[in-house]
Amino acid sequence: MNRRKTPLHRIMLVLFFLLANNVWAQETEVKGRITSEAGNPLAGVSVHVKGTTNSTSSGDNGQFSLAASSGSVLVFSYVGFATQEYTLGDETDIQITMSSSDAQLDEVVVVGYGTQRKEAITGSVASISGEKMNEVPAANITQALQGRVAGVQMTQTSSKPGAAMQIRIRGTRSLNASNDPLVVLDGIPFAGSIGDINPIDIKSVDILKDASATAIYGSRGANGVILVTTHKGYSGQQARVTFNSYTGLKTLFSRYPMMDGPEFVELRKAAGLYQNGEDESDDVDVDWQDLLYKSGIMTSQDLSVSGGTEKTIYNFSTGYFRDEAVLPGQNFDRFSLRGSLDQKIGERIRVGFSTNNNYSVNRGNNLGIYTTLSTTPIANPYNEDGSFKDIVRMAQDNHWVYSRETIENLGNKWVDMAKGFGSYNTFFGEIDIPGIEGLKYRANVGLNFRTTNGGAYTGEGIFSSEINNPSTASINNSLHTQWTIENLLTYDRTFAEKHNLNVVGLYSAEQIRYNSSYVSALHIPEDKFQFYNLGHATGEITVNPNDQDYYKTGLMSWMGRVMYDYDGKYMVSATIRTDGSSRLAPGHQWHAYPAVSAGWNAKRESFLSDVRWLDLLKFRAGFGQTSNQSVAPYKTLGQLSTRPYNFADEFAMGYYMSELPNAALGWEYTKTWNYGVDFALLNNRLRGTFEYYTQHTKDLLLSVGLPASSGVGSYMGNIGETENKGFEFSLDGLILDNPDGLTWEAGFNFYLNRNKLLALSSGRDRDEGNAWFVGHPIDVIYDYEKIGLWQEGDPYLDILEPGGNPGMIKVRYTGEYDADGAPVRQINADDRQIIDVNPRFEGGFNTRLAYKGFDLGLVAAFKNGGTLISSLYSSASYLNLMSGRRNNVRVDYWTTENTDAKYPKPGGIASGDNPKYGSTLGYFDASYLKIRTISLGYNFNREGWLQRAGIGGLRIYGTVQNPFVLFSPYHRESGMDPEPNSRGDENQAVASYQSRLMVIGTNTPANRNYMIGLNVSF
């Protein structure tokens, strides 16, 4: 009997234990957060219960949740980190810190509408952290990025406070359309100036360079994309207060190299053309620059607070920045306020916003220094009682007396002010769609607003050589509004721990509305009115129709992207984008274009897995097409212009067509190939990238000039082709790494770009008016080439330069020769040359040494070859007249005793007021090595008194900006900074160059800055 019951008893016992185990091991929801050793949240970490198919992945803030029972083993895996196991007890909320097995490959890079592990990227993406950028205290991120990223050229367009640089990513493609990259701030295209973004707020900058990376942004990303991500809080982070401050003294890098009194007296005598004027005397020696310049102050103060709870993260900050020029009355102020909030509602919904607001004031931008530089040093600016004269009278010119004292005492007689307010706001809502793991819907709404309000007033006789010159005033206003809405559907899953799939679908629409106005007036009756009520003017009030503007544009887009990664070994990304633009003609407004890229990490193959010194060897290739529609709105409609005329006894306004309509205006296309190799060696202590690219742009959006007989000046069409090819190399290394001793890291980048104009309209091979020549780069100079100076006894002087004199400029002759070897004609316009202004290569490097709490950093940029245009030396500035009429640049000029000189004989053959071929004197080799920043800092030990005081971190530092320049021919000759400071059609007496060219003109002088700073957190 007992034997018969035994099997049943055993079965019952097993069932009892199984039931008990099921009760005891009942699954509960386990939540947690995953971070790196540095405390940064890790997104996309695979989490699964060992021995089951139950898995999930971490979200943007490193958070995860899944069902598991006590005693289960959770496995955490992520490319670039050591796989980690965690045995679960009774806890339901855990914190996981993953150890890096691949210190640099673990980085998460923003790639547009998502993130991607650095190791898995197949397109061309360059990244730099905000921490690295802020090693260069700067007014905006363009100054901080200069020389730090291969393939990204930052060119100074103005040396005035608050000015941003021109950015070119992999060269210039378009002739008339915009070449500026798209800036995306916290996921939404940015509508303001890049100077509106406070650099201290930036967490990272990711730059998308090739079509396979930029295609996701469509036509807006045709010239590259700069993704700016600002700081946010972290879930579970206690409130943290951070204060960053620096203050510095701005001094002159160098004076403009003008002649002093004795030098000018000798020049005037050598020229023999002018006698001293009423206020001039040979025994006077005045340094007009010394009378004008002052020391400026640069200061920045920023306060932020960030933190988070389980479901809420936040970050709010405020900042103030002031930059004073060395010119009196010229300065820039910026006030900024930023905030972000991310709120989780339940387990599936997230909502949030980010807002960036700034208010800026620019003063004194219309203050120039040409008069200061051109006033002769022998002109006495003082009255007998020691006060300044209003005007000094020279040989043929009268000049207003510019000095610190005269300008600072103007009071209401002079004001130049531009105010700007911008508010850039992003709102989002995101939901995890139930039933499909990894599927999310997100809506982004961007609301951007920017307004400017400017005014200028110059009182009677101020800045003028005539005491009774009428007072002038002007006002200008603009309003830019933009809304953007994006609908995103994202599927992000990891299967079997090796198959990583990310799919994004997008529908977006945006609309931009802009209007501006400008009004000027003469004869303001009272200085106190300034520009605030032009209706009081007793003179002419001008409302020029060409100075008023209005437009409204729209863009609608569809996009799909798939990114697949198999075990970090094989990667592919494919994008299709369709854009519709209101700027183009009906029937030509829509265009779809693809992009695809692939990568292979050979290091993960078995034949390289045992090579210990090699940590990464990835090959990439990508192809894509982008389109550009960045032309002024309504170009399809043509343009009417106005012209006043007398109709009998009455005044009338007439209209005429100045630009023809084009009912077939369409897209400008660029096809891009990109090839790259990424490598890491020696336990990731040495990391680098090689890239080669080609870009072919066709159907250029180009304003085509028409013959005068047509009665119309031009029309906008799709005509012409350009090509860009380039090579980029980046290398970063951790040379020494001793946490208790010396640490040394360094970075280097090198790049070159070759662009070429392949075709123009109607089969033409040149457009001399715009200096465009088929087969040559887009940016060139079309001018004579100086090859020396004519000397006594030189043959053919009378043939090539009839009436010429020894000591005049000698230029290259390109004509024919007779049987005796003599030229057959004189120099003429056919002898002009096409001169390339582009450098052979450029780049930068940085290095940082740290010993215990001390650190020493250096950032530098370099350029080799190309042509630097200095209008200071050329005939464009009227500062190298070589006649003695006005002050002259200090030059080594030709005399009968100094025939080896570089510059021509004073008073020689002239063209207008300048030496003949005087423009050739302004061309220099553009090479330089510029040390941009040297910083020395100390980080206090967090333990001890800092910890007792509740201080989380404390750093003090000193920085020198622009300390010196090496290997620059222009610097050797002039002592000046070899970086351009003006566009080609400004800050010179005559506009001799295309506006797209950058020159050194009579702009605000370059600075050398000395700063001290403090970073503290609580």
Side-chain angles (χ1 to χ4, degrees):
M1 179 93 179
N2 290 337
R3 285 193 298 271
R4 286 195 298 268
K5 291 182 177 180
T6 299
L8 180 60
H9 172 74
R10 291 176 178 173
I11 292 171
M12 299 268 306
L13 188 62
V14 170
L15 290 174
F16 172 78
F17 278 109
L18 287 175
L19 181 61
N21 185 64
N22 187 57
V23 173
W24 295 333
Q26 184 176 2
E27 291 184 340
T28 59
E29 184 182 24
V30 177
K31 300 178 182 179
R33 185 167 180 265
I34 308 169
T35 62
S36 66
E37 292 170 306
N40 298 320
L42 296 177
V45 177
S46 174
V47 185
H48 80 277
V49 180
K50 193 172 185 178
T52 74
T53 59
N54 187 11
S55 66
T56 187
S57 60
S58 59
D60 292 343
N61 295 312
Q63 295 175 314
F64 73 93
S65 66
L66 83 170
S69 58
S70 177
S72 298
V73 177
L74 304 184
V75 180
F76 301 85
S77 58
Y78 191 39
V79 175
F81 287 83
T83 299
Q84 188 169 327
E85 295 186 355
Y86 182 91
T87 302
L88 192 65
D90 295 331
E91 65 271 30
T92 58
D93 196 337
I94 62 177
Q95 177 77 29
I96 300 297
T97 301
M98 297 193 70
S99 300
S100 173
S101 63
D102 235 338
Q104 299 300 320
L105 306 182
D106 61 351
E107 296 177 15
V108 175
V109 176
V110 179
V111 292
Y113 302 113
T115 59
Q116 198 173 13
R117 297 187 309 277
K118 188 174 183 179
E119 186 190 37
I121 289 175
T122 54
S124 181
V125 182
S127 301
I128 183 170
S129 68
E131 181 181 2
K132 291 288 186 183
M133 281 203 319
N134 285 313
E135 291 176 2
V136 181
N140 59 66
I141 62 174
T142 55
Q143 296 170 353
L145 285 172
Q146 191 179 25
R148 302 297 294 260
V149 184
V152 181
Q153 185 185 61
M154 306 283 182
T155 305
Q156 186 173 251
T157 62
S158 175
S159 47
K160 295 174 182 176
M165 293 187 175
Q166 174 185 275
I167 307 173
R168 292 291 178 263
I169 297 177
R170 293 186 165 179
T172 300
R173 303 163 183 78
S174 297
L175 301 183
N176 281 140
S178 172
N179 285 287
D180 295 331
L182 171 70
V183 178
V184 176
L185 178 64
D186 290 330
I188 292 292
F190 185 57
S193 163
I194 204 164
D196 291 343
I197 305 173
N198 188 351
I200 204 69
D201 289 332
I202 296 174
K203 178 183 178 182
S204 66
V205 173
D206 300 275
I207 301 175
L208 314 184
K209 296 187 285 188
D210 75 322
S212 66
T214 65
I216 194 168
Y217 285 103
S219 59
R220 292 174 301 184
N223 301 308
V225 182
I226 299 176
L227 304 174
V228 179
T229 304
T230 56
H231 288 292
K232 295 176 175 60
Y234 298 124
S235 180
Q237 173 193 347
Q238 292 184 347
R240 182 185 184 191
V241 178
T242 303
F243 177 67
N244 299 297
S245 172
Y246 64 81
T247 299
L249 182 68
K250 298 185 70 173
T251 64
L252 283 172
F253 179 85
S254 68
R255 297 171 183 269
Y256 282 80
M258 307 306 295
M259 289 183 173
D260 61 21
E263 290 169 335
F264 179 76
V265 168
E266 290 299 316
L267 174 72
R268 182 170 277 184
K269 289 179 180 178
L273 298 176
Y274 298 102
Q275 301 298 316
N276 289 350
E278 179 180 334
D279 291 317
E280 292 180 314
S281 174
D282 287 357
D283 60 357
V284 171
D285 187 6
V286 177
D287 187 336
W288 287 92
Q289 294 184 76
D290 187 58
L291 294 179
L292 179 64
Y293 301 147
K294 66 180 186 64
S295 295
I297 298 293
M298 177 187 290
T299 184
S300 176
Q301 317 293 329
D302 294 280
L303 180 68
S304 68
V305 57
S306 63
T309 63
E310 182 181 352
K311 294 190 175 183
T312 304
I313 60 175
Y314 61 88
N315 185 292
F316 294 92
S317 67
T318 183
Y320 170 67
F321 175 79
R322 180 174 177 83
D323 187 3
E324 295 180 357
V326 294
L327 300 183
Q330 192 176 90
N331 54 67
F332 172 76
D333 290 279
R334 182 183 63 213
F335 303 84
S336 58
L337 179 65
R338 191 186 67 85
S340 67
L341 180 68
D342 190 320
Q343 176 68 49
K344 190 172 183 180
I345 302 172
E347 297 302 319
R348 296 189 178 277
I349 299 176
R350 286 175 55 222
V351 296
F353 73 88
S354 65
T355 178
N356 287 266
N357 306 274
N358 74 86
Y359 171 72
S360 62
V361 182
N362 235 317
R363 299 181 182 88
N365 267 357
N366 67 359
L367 185 65
I369 62 170
Y370 171 75
T371 301
T372 297
L373 300 180
S374 62
T375 305
T376 62
I378 61 173
N380 186 355
Y382 300 106
N383 295 308
E384 291 184 0
D385 61 0
S387 63
F388 280 103
K389 298 174 181 176
D390 293 323
I391 294 171
V392 291
R393 291 168 171 79
M394 302 180 297
Q396 275 200 336
D397 303 285
N398 300 332
H399 280 179
W400 195 82
V401 174
Y402 282 81
S403 72
R404 292 186 301 275
E405 181 179 327
T406 56
I407 292 175
E408 290 172 350
N409 290 336
L410 287 176
N412 291 327
K413 294 181 181 295
W414 172 65
V415 62
D416 174 55
M417 181 167 53
K419 300 178 181 179
F421 173 74
S423 182
Y424 314 104
N425 307 281
T426 304
F427 305 88
F428 77 88
E430 183 178 275
I431 181 170
D432 291 342
I433 297 176
I436 307 177
E437 183 181 344
L439 185 63
K440 296 180 180 180
Y441 167 76
R442 180 182 175 109
N444 295 324
V445 178
L447 300 174
N448 297 321
F449 170 93
R450 178 174 173 80
T451 181
T452 63
N453 176 270
Y457 172 73
T458 304
E460 184 177 6
I462 302 301
F463 304 150
S464 173
S465 60
E466 300 294 332
I467 296 177
N468 297 322
N469 193 59
S471 58
T472 62
S474 64
I475 56 172
N476 63 85
N477 300 278
S478 71
L479 175 62
H480 181 288
T481 59
Q482 176 186 25
W483 60 259
T484 303
I485 184 166
E486 298 176 335
N487 295 276
L488 284 157
L489 199 61
T490 304
Y491 181 70
D492 194 354
R493 281 290 304 276
T494 298
F495 301 94
E497 302 180 31
K498 292 186 177 182
H499 301 272
N500 302 295
L501 179 66
N502 179 277
V503 182
V504 177
L506 166 77
Y507 163 73
S508 71
E510 76 169 28
Q511 184 183 91
I512 298 172
R513 187 189 297 264
Y514 174 82
N515 67 273
S516 65
S517 62
Y518 177 85
V519 181
S520 61
L522 294 174
H523 293 291
I524 306 301
E526 172 58 48
D527 287 333
K528 293 180 180 179
F529 291 165
Q530 295 188 338
F531 57 81
Y532 292 105
N533 190 338
L534 300 190
H536 286 298
T538 60
E540 182 181 3
I541 299 176
T542 303
V543 185
N544 188 334
N546 294 325
D547 292 332
Q548 325 305 315
D549 196 11
Y550 166 83
Y551 64 79
K552 183 170 71 172
T553 68
L555 186 71
M556 187 178 294
S557 306
W558 300 86
M559 183 276 297
R561 180 184 66 189
V562 177
M563 295 188 296
Y564 172 74
D565 166 18
Y566 174 72
D567 196 27
K569 185 186 298 186
Y570 309 114
M571 300 136 248
V572 65
S573 175
T575 304
I576 184 73
R577 173 94 182 201
T578 300
D579 279 348
S581 171
S582 68
R583 296 174 185 247
L584 305 176
H588 301 270
Q589 293 175 323
W590 285 91
H591 177 60
Y593 37 91
V596 62
S597 58
W600 171 44
N601 187 355
K603 167 58 182 173
R604 289 185 173 267
E605 300 290 354
S606 58
F607 58 84
L608 287 177
S609 60
D610 294 332
V611 181
R612 296 184 178 275
W613 54 267
L614 181 65
D615 302 295
L616 172 71
L617 181 61
K618 183 175 70 174
F619 300 90
R620 296 180 283 110
F623 167 79
Q625 185 187 85
T626 58
S627 297
N628 196 339
Q629 47 91 35
S630 297
V631 292
Y634 315 125
K635 283 295 182 181
T636 60
L637 305 179
Q639 181 173 320
L640 291 176
S641 296
T642 59
R643 178 169 294 165
Y645 66 97
N646 292 326
F647 186 74
D649 295 330
E650 297 181 2
F651 174 81
M653 184 69 71
Y655 293 87
Y656 68 97
M657 181 170 286
S658 57
E659 187 174 61
L660 284 177
N662 184 353
L665 187 66
W667 295 88
E668 177 180 294
Y669 305 102
T670 299
K671 290 183 178 179
T672 298
W673 284 95
N674 188 82
Y675 309 91
V677 179
D678 304 321
F679 62 89
L681 313 172
L682 307 176
N683 199 25
N684 295 296
R685 295 178 72 132
L686 190 64
R687 306 169 303 279
T689 296
F690 296 92
E691 291 198 271
Y692 173 76
Y693 62 87
T694 64
Q695 299 174 153
H696 187 180
T697 304
K698 66 177 184 177
D699 293 342
L700 295 176
L701 290 163
L702 178 61
S703 181
V704 182
L706 296 174
S709 59
S710 68
V712 182
S714 64
Y715 74 96
M716 182 65 69
N718 292 106
I719 297 169
E721 297 181 42
T722 63
E723 177 186 75
N724 275 269
K725 296 180 180 180
F727 172 79
E728 300 166 3
F729 173 63
S730 298
L731 188 66
D732 294 285
L734 182 59
I735 303 168
L736 298 174
D737 184 18
N738 183 353
D740 298 320
L742 183 65
T743 300
W744 181 16
E745 55 186 340
F748 172 82
N749 72 82
F750 163 96
Y751 61 97
L752 57 87
N753 176 272
R754 300 288 183 264
N755 75 46
K756 185 187 296 185
L757 183 58
L758 300 181
L760 283 167
S761 62
S762 304
R764 293 187 304 164
D765 63 357
R766 58 177 50 207
D767 179 347
E768 293 183 5
N770 287 305
W772 287 325
F773 303 90
V774 173
H776 294 271
I778 295 172
D779 294 335
V780 298
I781 304 164
Y782 188 50
D783 200 357
Y784 299 96
E785 180 186 356
K786 176 178 176 288
I787 58 175
L789 302 177
W790 287 101
Q791 304 292 341
E792 292 280 359
D794 276 356
Y796 314 132
L797 172 60
D798 291 338
I799 299 174
L800 293 174
E801 296 291 350
N805 61 267
M808 74 174 292
I809 297 171
K810 185 178 184 179
V811 299
R812 186 174 302 281
Y813 169 71
T814 62
E816 297 179 349
Y817 295 84
D818 63 19
D820 297 327
V824 298
R825 61 168 175 82
Q826 70 182 73
I827 297 289
N828 61 35
D830 293 336
D831 294 302
R832 288 176 294 175
Q833 308 288 310
I834 300 170
I835 304 170
D836 188 1
V837 302
N838 300 282
R840 285 188 287 269
F841 61 82
E842 54 191 312
F845 64 87
N846 58 86
T847 186
R848 181 177 179 273
L849 288 166
Y851 180 75
K852 297 187 176 180
F854 291 94
D855 59 82
L856 176 66
L858 179 147
V859 179
F862 60 84
K863 181 184 291 187
N864 179 267
T867 302
L868 171 66
I869 304 171
S870 173
S871 64
L872 187 71
Y873 285 85
S874 81
S875 53
S877 72
Y878 280 44
L879 292 175
N880 200 10
L881 299 175
M882 303 300 298
S883 65
R885 176 178 173 177
R886 300 174 189 151
N887 197 13
N888 209 90
V889 179
R890 182 182 294 114
V891 294
D892 178 27
Y893 52 84
W894 190 96
T895 65
T896 53
E897 293 80 25
N898 185 31
T899 58
D900 291 333
K902 177 181 177 181
Y903 292 88
K905 176 184 181 296
I909 297 297
S911 176
D913 289 329
N914 286 279
K916 190 175 183 181
Y917 311 120
S919 59
T920 65
L921 300 174
Y923 306 140
F924 294 82
D925 182 342
S927 302
Y928 66 77
L929 169 61
K930 187 173 184 180
I931 308 302
R932 300 201 62 244
T933 303
I934 301 175
S935 295
L936 176 64
Y938 181 74
N939 293 281
F940 289 85
N941 193 321
R942 296 182 181 179
E943 299 178 358
W945 68 272
L946 286 182
Q947 191 175 35
R948 291 192 297 271
I951 299 175
L954 178 62
R955 168 180 165 80
I956 59 173
Y957 63 90
T959 298
V960 182
Q961 290 182 328
N962 208 17
F964 51 86
V965 172
L966 302 170
F967 313 119
S968 167
Y970 183 72
H971 176 69
R972 281 198 297 270
E973 177 153 345
S974 67
M976 296 179 64
D977 190 326
E979 281 196 88
N981 63 19
S982 307
R983 295 192 179 274
D985 59 350
E986 62 180 8
N987 294 315
Q988 50 203 332
V990 292
S992 299
Y993 310 103
Q994 304 294 332
S995 63
R996 65 181 184 269
L997 300 179
M998 300 300 159
V999 306
I1000 294 180
T1002 54
N1003 209 334
T1004 302
N1007 305 307
R1008 180 180 287 117
N1009 307 327
Y1010 303 89
M1011 292 181 287
I1012 56 173
L1014 168 73
N1015 306 130
V1016 60
S1017 62
F1018 303 90

